[in-house]
């Protein structure tokens, strides 16, 4: 949960070396001369992960001033612009709003399905889900979708009241 909430990248090398590596070596030792070198080392396993700094984690980001960015072109917003789009993108407001609304609706529908699945597992469709099973993949999916839904709603809230 900490990883999801703080955007911490997953250490793929750790999982490859310690979780997946030993069983794969045992499976392929009869077929390959050196299964570790063939499967777990080399060009095909390289990856570069860059952690996204955030104020929650601390460090130098505590002193950084976050400026709002245009939801369309990602340019910094000036004080005179609205809270969602810059002046050059303001003509695309309706189009962008409908895209974000469609994404939010998709996440809402997905969250509803996962929530119902958790309620069924719990045995009651009329009570809140009290599950904290860290072994359940649905638990993590529910938390991830909940976070995505919150982010989409925050983007929609930046438009303020709509009077088209």
């Amino acid at each position: 949960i900490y990883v999801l909430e703080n955007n911490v990248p997953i250490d793929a090398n750790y999982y490859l070396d310690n979780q997946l590596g030993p069983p794969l070596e045992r499976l392929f030792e009869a077929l390959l001369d050196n299964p570790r070198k063939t499967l777990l080392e080399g060009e095909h396993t390289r990856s570069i992960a860059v952690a996204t700094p955030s104020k929650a984690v601390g460090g130098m980001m505590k002193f950084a001033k976050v400026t709002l960015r245009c939801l369309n072109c990602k340019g910094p917003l000036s004080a005179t612009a609205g809270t969602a789009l810059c002046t050059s993108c303001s003509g695309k407001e309706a189009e962008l709003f409908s895209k974000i609304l469609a994404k939010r609706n998709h996440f809402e529908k997905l969250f509803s399905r996962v929530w119902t699945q958790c309620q069924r597992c719990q045995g009651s469709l009329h009570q809140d889900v009290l599950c904290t099973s860290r072994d359940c993949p649905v638990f993590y999916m529910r938390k991830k979708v909940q976070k995505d839904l919150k982010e989409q709603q925050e983007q929609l809230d930046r438009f303020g009241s709509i009077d088209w």
Side-chain angles (χ1 to χ4, degrees), residues 25 28-29 31-41:
E25 284 180 43
F28 287 99
E29 67 186 353
L31 302 172
L32 302 170
D33 290 335
N34 189 351
R36 176 170 259 316
K37 186 175 183 183
T38 306
L39 297 173
L40 305 175
E41 298 170 1

Side-chain angles (χ1 to χ4, degrees), residues 45-92:
T45 60
R46 287 189 180 179
S47 66
I48 299 172
V50 178
T52 306
S54 69
K55 284 189 174 186
V57 176
M60 289 300 292
M61 282 306 292
K62 284 185 178 180
F63 303 103
K65 183 177 183 213
V66 179
T67 60
L68 288 178
R69 300 218 167 250
C70 174
L71 293 175
N72 188 43
C73 68
K74 308 297 184 225
L77 290 175
S78 64
T80 59
T83 58
L85 299 174
C86 62
T87 53
S88 62
C89 295
S90 62
K92 300 176 183 176

